[in-house]
Amino acid sequence: MSKKEVIHLYKKVIEDLRAAIENGDYQTGDLLPSENELCRSYDTTRVTIRQALSALANMGYITRKHGKGSIVSEPKTGLGILSVSGVTAGIGTQKLTTTILQKPIKQDWPADFFFPIDDSESKNGCIFFSRLRHINETPVLYEETFITNVDLPRFSSRSLENRSLFKILKEFYNVEVTEGEQKIWAIHADKNISALLNIKTSHPVVHMKRRLQTNNKGVRIYSSLFCNTEENFLRDSF
Amino acid sequence: MSKKEVIHLYKKVIEDLRAAIENGDYQTGDLLPSENELCRSYDTTRVTIRQALSALANMGYITRKHGKGSIVSEPKTGLGILSVSGVTAGIGTQKLTTTILQKPIKQDWPADFFFPIDDSESKNGCIFFSRLRHINETPVLYEETFITNVDLPRFSSRSLENRSLFKILKEFYNVEVTEGEQKIWAIHADKNISALLNIKTSHPVVHMKRRLQTNNKGVRIYSSLFCNTEENFLRDSF
DNA sequence: ACAAACAACTTGTATATACAAGATAACTTT
DNA sequence: AAAGTTATCTTGTATATACAAGTTGTTTGT
């Protein structure tokens, strides 16, 4: 936009240091420049610098040590959202792919939806889609997702194939998950899930229902998913 | 202790306001006294008051609104630790009881423990105990817990019957969970679990392995648990 | 070579002050 | 009665300064 935006100094300090940490300019365990050094760099006072460093500490980027300095922290592991993970540490060694079974479409909320929907959400309907995830060509997880139809223009026309829903929401809509809840059952796969996951109906699968809130109060993400955990598992960290 | 402890003013402000919120003196949605009012009350400056209010905001007690005030927030729901929950909202309507099958004992870490144990933890052994949880007299969850044997004097002699492990750790040792990870499988109950949970071996149960870190770096809590989710489910919020 | 004391660094706590910007209440005008 | 303006409240951003307390490196004494 052509309008000239002002950025407050303490926010610039936050962004500069955050970018430096995320770009690898500082490694876990490194000391950031001291408060006095940063005062000189930015030609400002300790109060301004300390406000920026306090914010970074609260976001988990650094740890403050009295008399020593600001130490770069281990990156935060996760928010607590369960997702499929490999038997070996991490999924990097395995091939995770996602097929869109149902492309995003706008629809009414299903009757008897598995989480209570409030009136304002109910009015606008939702965006619904479903995905099947494979690990090394083996289907392991089927997920149906319902997102409130608010503040997400042209979402339905975006491709989700092999892409992270959360990354799309972040990149295009500046939407980030802030909190949520998850409910977990172990069930026998029914006929539909058996077919989708290529397993016997007697096979135990994890069934999860999840509700996520975001930094945009209107945008909520609901999922129902079924996961075959014979070779893999669901994992979260917080 | 007889030694006179000094408390810094901004910390006193935090504690006073936190206690007032937790005691119900302020309800969700209420405005706290303005910064200027608090300056007068505590005979101090806005910088000191703002530091306290900033800390309360970061802990989730209040939300700051430019030009309006400090609004008391909805209490934070949870850290993301899965626990057994009822079919109806909350467990309050049902009777949850806990039986200690194995009282806390000190022992070596099991060979091939389900999470990697570092050398310093390994040396000291662990505290092990197991519990069976019932909902309305029905066994629903069996949990084995291993805690690092560090900074927990006389833990083995404490009664865990019908008491929250986390509350005991908080009350007696000032230990609070800060982060963790959980791994989830759906499995058929084996003979041992079938017997404990009073179900058929073909029955699907949730198997979870969890590792929790605390504000005391030495204290970590590992659990392996099995949950029958036919009438209930595991639930977390974060 | 080692221990103690000191100096110089760091972050933590605090006071004082000023202006920017958002929200709300009170007042005035239509 | 409604709309516009103004005043007064609020939090947000920022400068300047001082002392407390923790950490680390240097110097001195044994």
Side-chain angles (χ1 to χ4, degrees):
Chain A
M1 53 184 64
S2 60
K3 186 179 159 207
K4 195 177 176 188
E5 280 181 43
V6 132
I7 179 170
H8 297 301
L9 181 54
Y10 97 95
K11 287 182 171 173
K12 180 172 161 47
V13 176
I14 293 174
E15 281 315 303
D16 287 355
L17 292 175
R18 180 197 342 227
I21 294 171
E22 290 184 338
N23 292 340
D25 294 347
Y26 298 106
Q27 304 295 319
T28 299
D30 284 356
L31 286 171
L32 290 186
S34 70
E35 289 178 9
N36 284 337
E37 263 187 87
L38 291 167
C39 286
R40 288 191 287 273
S41 297
Y42 288 91
D43 189 27
T44 185
T45 65
R46 281 186 67 215
V47 171
T48 302
I49 294 299
R50 286 177 60 77
Q51 181 158 353
L53 293 173
S54 180
L56 287 165
N58 289 324
M59 290 186 280
Y61 287 96
I62 63 175
T63 301
R64 311 267 281 151
K65 189 94 163 51
H66 192 174
K68 188 180 176 69
S70 301
I71 307 161
V72 177
S73 295
E74 199 86 22
K76 271 215 172 151
T77 47
L79 194 60
I81 298 175
L82 285 153
S83 60
V84 66
S85 202
V87 173
T88 61
I91 207 96
T93 65
Q94 306 181 44
K95 191 179 168 202
L96 178 66
T97 57
T98 303
T99 305
I100 309 301
L101 296 193
Q102 168 59 59
K103 286 169 64 176
I105 54 168
K106 290 175 187 171
Q107 64 174 45
D108 290 337
W109 290 98
D112 294 324
F113 190 64
F114 52 84
F115 274 105
I117 300 296
D118 64 46
D119 283 343
S120 64
E121 290 179 317
S122 198
K123 254 191 336 265
N124 293 315
C126 66
I127 298 167
F128 168 75
F129 58 93
S130 64
R131 295 173 287 179
L132 192 59
R133 290 183 189 282
H134 305 75
I135 292 181
N136 297 337
E137 330 283 279
T138 305
V140 296
L141 188 146
Y142 171 69
E143 177 172 3
E144 299 181 334
T145 303
F146 307 76
I147 308 182
T148 51
N149 186 23
V150 166
D151 290 340
L152 300 175
R154 290 184 302 283
F155 182 90
S156 300
S157 56
R158 295 191 187 283
S159 170
L160 298 172
E161 199 98 348
N162 291 326
R163 301 193 65 189
S164 164
L165 168 64
F166 300 133
K167 280 180 176 164
I168 290 175
L169 288 171
K170 168 70 175 164
E171 184 180 341
F172 295 103
Y173 304 98
N174 217 22
V175 164
E176 291 179 309
V177 174
T178 52
E179 62 189 271
E181 75 176 285
Q182 296 166 135
K183 294 176 177 175
I184 303 280
W185 294 260
I187 61 167
H188 283 117
D190 67 17
K191 277 187 174 152
N192 184 40
I193 298 303
S194 299
L196 285 167
L197 297 182
N198 205 28
I199 53 175
K200 288 175 175 171
T201 54
S202 62
H203 208 291
V205 298
V206 175
H207 179 207
M208 171 169 55
K209 296 176 179 175
R210 174 205 282 150
R211 166 170 67 183
L212 301 175
Q213 276 94 285
T214 68
N215 53 345
N216 180 331
K217 281 196 184 325
V219 175
R220 290 182 191 170
I221 307 161
Y222 301 84
S223 296
S224 172
L225 61 81
F226 302 83
C227 186
N228 172 19
T229 54
E230 185 166 34
E231 303 288 339
N232 307 278
F233 50 85
L234 286 175
R235 178 187 178 275
D236 69 6
S237 58
F238 52 88
Chain B
M1 52 185 62
S2 59
K3 187 177 156 211
K4 195 175 177 188
E5 281 182 42
V6 132
I7 178 169
H8 297 299
L9 181 55
Y10 97 95
K11 286 180 171 173
K12 179 170 161 50
V13 177
I14 293 174
E15 282 316 302
D16 288 355
L17 293 175
R18 184 206 325 238
I21 292 171
E22 289 182 341
N23 291 342
D25 294 348
Y26 298 104
Q27 304 295 318
T28 299
D30 284 357
L31 288 171
L32 290 186
S34 67
E35 289 177 10
N36 285 337
E37 262 186 89
L38 291 167
C39 286
R40 287 192 289 273
S41 297
Y42 288 92
D43 190 26
T44 186
T45 64
R46 280 187 68 214
V47 171
T48 302
I49 294 298
R50 287 177 59 77
Q51 182 159 351
L53 293 172
S54 180
L56 286 165
N58 288 324
M59 290 185 278
Y61 286 97
I62 61 174
T63 302
R64 311 269 280 152
K65 188 95 162 54
H66 191 174
K68 187 178 176 72
S70 301
I71 306 162
V72 178
S73 296
E74 198 84 22
K76 271 212 169 155
T77 46
L79 194 60
I81 299 175
L82 284 152
S83 62
V84 66
S85 204
V87 173
T88 61
I91 207 96
T93 65
Q94 305 182 43
K95 190 179 168 202
L96 179 64
T97 57
T98 304
T99 304
I100 310 301
L101 297 193
Q102 169 58 59
K103 284 168 66 177
I105 55 166
K106 289 173 185 170
Q107 65 174 45
D108 290 338
W109 289 96
D112 295 323
F113 191 62
F114 52 84
F115 274 105
I117 300 295
D118 65 46
D119 283 343
S120 65
E121 289 179 317
S122 197
K123 251 187 344 260
N124 293 315
C126 66
I127 298 167
F128 168 76
F129 57 93
S130 63
R131 294 173 287 179
L132 193 60
R133 289 183 191 280
H134 305 75
I135 291 181
N136 297 337
E137 328 285 279
T138 305
V140 296
L141 189 146
Y142 171 69
E143 177 172 3
E144 302 182 333
T145 304
F146 307 76
I147 309 181
T148 51
N149 186 22
V150 168
D151 289 339
L152 299 175
R154 291 184 300 283
F155 183 90
S156 301
S157 57
R158 295 192 189 283
S159 171
L160 297 172
E161 200 100 345
N162 292 326
R163 301 193 65 188
S164 164
L165 169 64
F166 301 131
K167 281 180 175 162
I168 290 174
L169 288 171
K170 168 68 175 166
E171 184 180 341
F172 295 105
Y173 304 98
N174 218 23
V175 164
E176 289 178 311
V177 173
T178 52
E179 64 189 89
E181 77 176 281
Q182 296 166 134
K183 295 176 177 174
I184 302 279
W185 295 260
I187 61 167
H188 282 116
D190 67 17
K191 275 186 176 157
N192 185 38
I193 298 303
S194 298
L196 286 167
L197 298 182
N198 206 28
I199 52 177
K200 287 176 175 172
T201 54
S202 62
H203 208 291
V205 298
V206 175
H207 178 205
M208 173 169 55
K209 296 177 179 174
R210 173 205 284 149
R211 167 170 66 182
L212 300 175
Q213 275 93 284
T214 68
N215 54 346
N216 181 331
K217 280 196 184 331
V219 177
R220 290 182 190 169
I221 307 161
Y222 302 85
S223 295
S224 174
L225 61 81
F226 303 82
C227 186
N228 172 22
T229 56
E230 186 165 36
E231 304 287 339
N232 307 279
F233 49 85
L234 286 175
R235 177 186 179 278
D236 69 6
S237 56
F238 50 89

Coordinates of all heavy atoms in Angstrom, one line a residue, chain B residues 8-11 44-48 65-68, chain C residues 12-24:
Chain B
H8 N 10.3 -7.3 45.6 CA 10.3 -6.1 44.8 C 8.9 -5.7 44.5 O 7.9 -6.5 44.4 CB 11.0 -6.4 43.5 CG 12.5 -6.8 43.7 ND1 13.4 -5.9 44.3 CD2 13.2 -7.9 43.5 CE1 14.5 -6.4 44.4 NE2 14.5 -7.7 43.9
L9 N 8.8 -4.4 44.4 CA 7.4 -3.8 44.3 C 6.6 -4.3 43.1 O 5.5 -4.7 43.2 CB 7.5 -2.3 44.2 CG 6.2 -1.5 44.1 CD1 5.3 -1.9 45.3 CD2 6.4 0.0 44.1
Y10 N 7.3 -4.4 41.9 CA 6.5 -4.8 40.7 C 6.1 -6.3 40.9 O 5.0 -6.7 40.4 CB 7.3 -4.6 39.5 CG 8.1 -5.8 38.9 CD1 7.5 -6.6 37.9 CD2 9.4 -6.1 39.4 CE1 8.2 -7.7 37.4 CE2 10.0 -7.2 38.8 CZ 9.5 -8.0 37.9 OH 10.2 -9.0 37.4
K11 N 6.8 -7.1 41.6 CA 6.4 -8.5 41.9 C 5.2 -8.5 42.9 O 4.3 -9.3 42.8 CB 7.5 -9.3 42.4 CG 8.5 -9.6 41.3 CD 9.7 -10.5 41.8 CE 10.5 -10.9 40.6 NZ 11.8 -11.6 41.0
T44 N 3.9 4.6 43.2 CA 5.0 4.3 42.3 C 4.8 4.9 40.9 O 3.9 5.7 40.8 CB 5.2 2.8 42.2 OG1 6.4 2.5 41.5 CG2 4.0 2.1 41.6
T45 N 5.5 4.5 39.9 CA 5.5 5.1 38.6 C 4.9 4.1 37.6 O 4.8 2.9 37.9 CB 6.9 5.4 38.1 OG1 7.6 4.2 37.9 CG2 7.5 6.4 39.1
R46 N 4.4 4.6 36.5 CA 3.8 3.8 35.4 C 4.7 2.7 34.9 O 4.2 1.6 34.6 CB 3.4 4.7 34.3 CG 2.1 5.4 34.5 CD 1.6 6.1 33.3 NE 1.2 5.1 32.2 CZ 1.3 5.3 30.9 NH1 1.9 6.4 30.5 NH2 1.0 4.4 30.1
V47 N 6.0 3.0 34.9 CA 6.9 1.9 34.4 C 6.9 0.7 35.2 O 6.8 -0.5 34.7 CB 8.3 2.5 34.3 CG1 9.3 1.4 33.9 CG2 8.4 3.5 33.2
T48 N 6.9 0.9 36.5 CA 6.8 -0.3 37.5 C 5.4 -1.0 37.3 O 5.4 -2.2 37.3 CB 7.0 0.2 38.9 OG1 8.3 0.9 39.0 CG2 6.9 -0.9 39.9
K65 N -6.1 -3.4 26.4 CA -6.8 -2.7 25.3 C -6.4 -1.3 25.3 O -6.7 -0.6 26.3 CB -8.3 -3.0 25.5 CG -9.1 -2.5 24.3 CD -9.4 -3.7 23.4 CE -10.6 -3.4 22.5 NZ -10.4 -2.1 21.7
H66 N -5.8 -0.9 24.2 CA -5.3 0.5 24.1 C -6.4 1.5 24.2 O -7.5 1.4 23.5 CB -4.7 0.7 22.7 CG -3.9 2.0 22.5 ND1 -3.2 2.3 21.4 CD2 -3.8 3.0 23.4 CE1 -2.7 3.5 21.6 NE2 -3.0 3.9 22.7
G67 N -6.3 2.4 25.2 CA -7.3 3.4 25.4 C -8.5 3.0 26.3 O -9.3 3.8 26.7
K68 N -8.5 1.7 26.6 CA -9.7 1.2 27.4 C -9.3 0.7 28.8 O -9.8 1.2 29.8 CB -10.4 0.1 26.6 CG -11.7 -0.4 27.3 CD -12.3 -1.5 26.5 CE -13.6 -2.0 27.2 NZ -14.7 -1.0 27.1
Chain C
dG12 P 17.1 -9.7 33.2 OP1 16.5 -11.0 33.4 OP2 16.6 -8.7 32.2 O5' 17.2 -8.9 34.6 C5' 17.5 -9.6 35.8 C4' 17.0 -8.8 37.0 O4' 17.9 -7.7 37.1 C3' 15.6 -8.3 36.9 O3' 15.0 -8.5 38.1 C2' 15.8 -6.8 36.5 C1' 17.1 -6.5 37.2 N9 17.8 -5.4 36.6 C8 18.3 -5.4 35.3 N7 18.9 -4.3 35.0 C5 19.0 -3.6 36.2 C6 19.6 -2.3 36.5 O6 20.2 -1.6 35.7 N1 19.4 -2.0 37.8 C2 18.7 -2.7 38.7 N2 18.6 -2.2 39.9 N3 18.1 -3.9 38.4 C4 18.3 -4.3 37.1
dT13 P 13.4 -8.0 38.4 OP1 12.9 -8.9 39.4 OP2 12.8 -7.9 37.1 O5' 13.6 -6.5 39.0 C5' 14.2 -6.4 40.2 C4' 14.1 -4.9 40.7 O4' 15.0 -4.1 39.8 C3' 12.8 -4.3 40.5 O3' 12.4 -3.7 41.8 C2' 12.9 -3.2 39.4 C1' 14.4 -2.9 39.5 N1 15.0 -2.3 38.3 C2 15.7 -1.2 38.4 O2 15.8 -0.5 39.4 N3 16.2 -0.7 37.2 C4 16.2 -1.4 36.0 O4 16.7 -0.9 35.0 C5 15.4 -2.6 36.0 C7 15.3 -3.4 34.7 C6 14.9 -3.1 37.1
dA14 P 11.0 -3.1 42.1 OP1 10.8 -3.1 43.5 OP2 10.0 -3.7 41.2 O5' 11.2 -1.6 41.6 C5' 12.1 -0.7 42.4 C4' 12.3 0.6 41.7 O4' 13.0 0.4 40.5 C3' 11.0 1.3 41.2 O3' 10.5 2.1 42.3 C2' 11.5 2.1 40.0 C1' 12.9 1.7 39.8 N9 13.3 1.4 38.4 C8 13.0 0.4 37.6 N7 13.4 0.5 36.4 C5 14.2 1.7 36.4 C6 14.9 2.4 35.5 N6 15.1 2.0 34.2 N1 15.5 3.6 35.8 C2 15.3 4.0 37.1 N3 14.6 3.5 38.1 C4 14.1 2.3 37.7
dT15 P 9.3 3.1 42.1 OP1 8.7 3.3 43.4 OP2 8.5 2.6 40.9 O5' 10.0 4.5 41.6 C5' 11.1 5.0 42.4 C4' 11.6 6.3 41.7 O4' 12.3 5.9 40.5 C3' 10.4 7.3 41.3 O3' 10.6 8.5 41.8 C2' 10.5 7.3 39.7 C1' 11.9 6.8 39.4 N1 12.0 6.1 38.2 C2 12.8 6.6 37.2 O2 13.5 7.6 37.3 N3 12.8 5.9 36.0 C4 12.0 4.7 35.8 O4 12.1 4.1 34.7 C5 11.2 4.3 36.9 C7 10.4 3.0 36.7 C6 11.2 5.0 38.0
dA16 P 9.5 9.6 41.7 OP1 9.8 10.6 42.8 OP2 8.2 8.9 41.6 O5' 9.7 10.3 40.3 C5' 11.0 11.0 40.1 C4' 11.0 11.5 38.7 O4' 11.2 10.5 37.7 C3' 9.7 12.2 38.2 O3' 9.9 13.6 38.0 C2' 9.3 11.4 37.0 C1' 10.6 10.8 36.5 N9 10.4 9.5 35.8 C8 9.7 8.4 36.2 N7 9.7 7.5 35.3 C5 10.4 8.0 34.2 C6 10.7 7.5 32.9 N6 10.3 6.3 32.5 N1 11.4 8.3 32.1 C2 11.8 9.5 32.5 N3 11.5 10.1 33.7 C4 10.8 9.3 34.5
dT17 P 8.6 14.5 37.7 OP1 9.0 15.8 38.1 OP2 7.4 13.9 38.2 O5' 8.6 14.5 36.1 C5' 9.7 14.7 35.3 C4' 9.5 14.4 33.9 O4' 9.5 12.9 33.7 C3' 8.2 14.9 33.4 O3' 8.5 16.0 32.5 C2' 7.6 13.7 32.6 C1' 8.7 12.7 32.5 N1 8.3 11.3 32.5 C2 8.6 10.6 31.4 O2 9.3 11.0 30.4 N3 8.2 9.3 31.4 C4 7.4 8.7 32.4 O4 7.1 7.5 32.3 C5 7.1 9.5 33.5 C7 6.3 9.0 34.7 C6 7.5 10.8 33.5
dA18 P 7.2 16.9 31.9 OP1 7.7 18.3 31.8 OP2 6.0 16.5 32.6 O5' 7.1 16.3 30.4 C5' 8.3 16.1 29.6 C4' 7.9 15.4 28.3 O4' 7.8 14.0 28.5 C3' 6.5 15.9 27.8 O3' 6.7 16.3 26.4 C2' 5.6 14.7 27.8 C1' 6.6 13.5 27.8 N9 6.2 12.3 28.5 C8 5.6 12.2 29.7 N7 5.3 11.0 30.0 C5 5.6 10.2 28.9 C6 5.5 8.9 28.5 N6 4.9 8.0 29.4 N1 5.9 8.5 27.3 C2 6.4 9.4 26.5 N3 6.6 10.7 26.7 C4 6.1 11.1 27.9
dC19 P 5.6 17.2 25.7 OP1 6.3 18.3 25.1 OP2 4.5 17.5 26.6 O5' 5.1 16.3 24.6 C5' 6.0 15.7 23.7 C4' 5.4 14.4 23.1 O4' 5.2 13.4 24.1 C3' 4.1 14.6 22.4 O3' 4.2 14.1 21.1 C2' 3.1 13.8 23.2 C1' 4.0 12.7 23.8 N1 3.5 12.1 25.0 C2 3.5 10.7 25.0 O2 3.9 10.0 24.0 N3 3.0 10.0 26.1 C4 2.6 10.7 27.2 N4 2.2 10.1 28.2 C5 2.6 12.2 27.2 C6 3.1 12.8 26.1
dA20 P 2.9 14.1 20.1 OP1 3.5 14.5 18.8 OP2 1.8 14.8 20.7 O5' 2.6 12.5 20.0 C5' 3.5 11.6 19.6 C4' 2.9 10.3 19.4 O4' 2.5 9.7 20.6 C3' 1.6 10.3 18.5 O3' 1.6 9.1 17.7 C2' 0.5 10.3 19.6 C1' 1.1 9.4 20.7 N9 0.7 9.7 22.1 C8 0.7 11.0 22.7 N7 0.3 10.9 23.9 C5 -0.1 9.6 24.1 C6 -0.6 8.9 25.2 N6 -0.9 9.5 26.4 N1 -0.9 7.6 25.1 C2 -0.6 7.0 23.9 N3 -0.1 7.6 22.8 C4 0.2 8.9 23.0
dA21 P 0.5 9.0 16.6 OP1 1.2 8.1 15.6 OP2 0.0 10.3 16.2 O5' -0.7 8.1 17.3 C5' -0.4 6.8 17.7 C4' -1.6 6.3 18.4 O4' -1.7 6.9 19.7 C3' -3.0 6.5 17.8 O3' -3.7 5.4 17.8 C2' -3.6 7.6 18.7 C1' -3.0 7.2 20.0 N9 -3.1 8.2 21.1 C8 -2.8 9.5 21.0 N7 -3.0 10.2 22.1 C5 -3.4 9.2 23.0 C6 -3.7 9.2 24.4 N6 -3.7 10.3 25.1 N1 -4.1 8.0 24.9 C2 -4.1 6.9 24.2 N3 -3.8 6.8 22.9 C4 -3.5 7.9 22.4
dG22 P -5.0 5.1 17.0 OP1 -4.5 4.1 16.0 OP2 -5.5 6.4 16.5 O5' -6.0 4.5 18.0 C5' -5.6 3.3 18.7 C4' -6.6 3.1 19.9 O4' -6.3 4.1 20.9 C3' -8.1 3.2 19.5 O3' -8.7 2.1 20.2 C2' -8.5 4.6 20.1 C1' -7.5 4.7 21.3 N9 -7.2 6.1 21.6 C8 -6.6 7.1 20.9 N7 -6.5 8.2 21.5 C5 -7.0 8.0 22.7 C6 -7.1 8.9 23.9 O6 -6.8 10.1 23.9 N1 -7.7 8.2 25.0 C2 -8.1 6.9 25.0 N2 -8.7 6.5 26.1 N3 -8.0 6.1 23.9 C4 -7.5 6.7 22.9
dA23 P -10.3 1.9 20.0 OP1 -10.5 0.5 20.1 OP2 -10.7 2.7 18.9 O5' -10.9 2.6 21.4 C5' -10.5 2.0 22.6 C4' -11.3 2.6 23.7 O4' -10.9 4.0 23.9 C3' -12.8 2.7 23.4 O3' -13.5 2.3 24.6 C2' -13.1 4.2 23.1 C1' -12.0 4.9 24.0 N9 -11.5 6.1 23.4 C8 -11.1 6.4 22.2 N7 -10.6 7.6 22.0 C5 -10.8 8.2 23.2 C6 -10.5 9.5 23.7 N6 -10.0 10.5 23.0 N1 -10.8 9.8 25.0 C2 -11.3 8.8 25.8 N3 -11.6 7.6 25.4 C4 -11.3 7.3 24.1
dT24 P -15.1 2.1 24.6 OP1 -15.3 0.9 25.4 OP2 -15.6 2.3 23.2 O5' -15.5 3.4 25.5 C5' -14.8 3.6 26.7 C4' -15.3 5.0 27.2 O4' -14.6 6.1 26.5 C3' -16.8 5.3 27.1 O3' -17.2 5.7 28.4 C2' -16.9 6.4 26.1 C1' -15.5 7.1 26.3 N1 -15.0 7.9 25.2 C2 -14.5 9.2 25.4 O2 -14.6 9.7 26.6 N3 -14.1 9.9 24.4 C4 -14.0 9.4 23.1 O4 -13.6 10.1 22.2 C5 -14.5 8.1 22.8 C7 -14.5 7.5 21.5 C6 -15.0 7.4 23.9

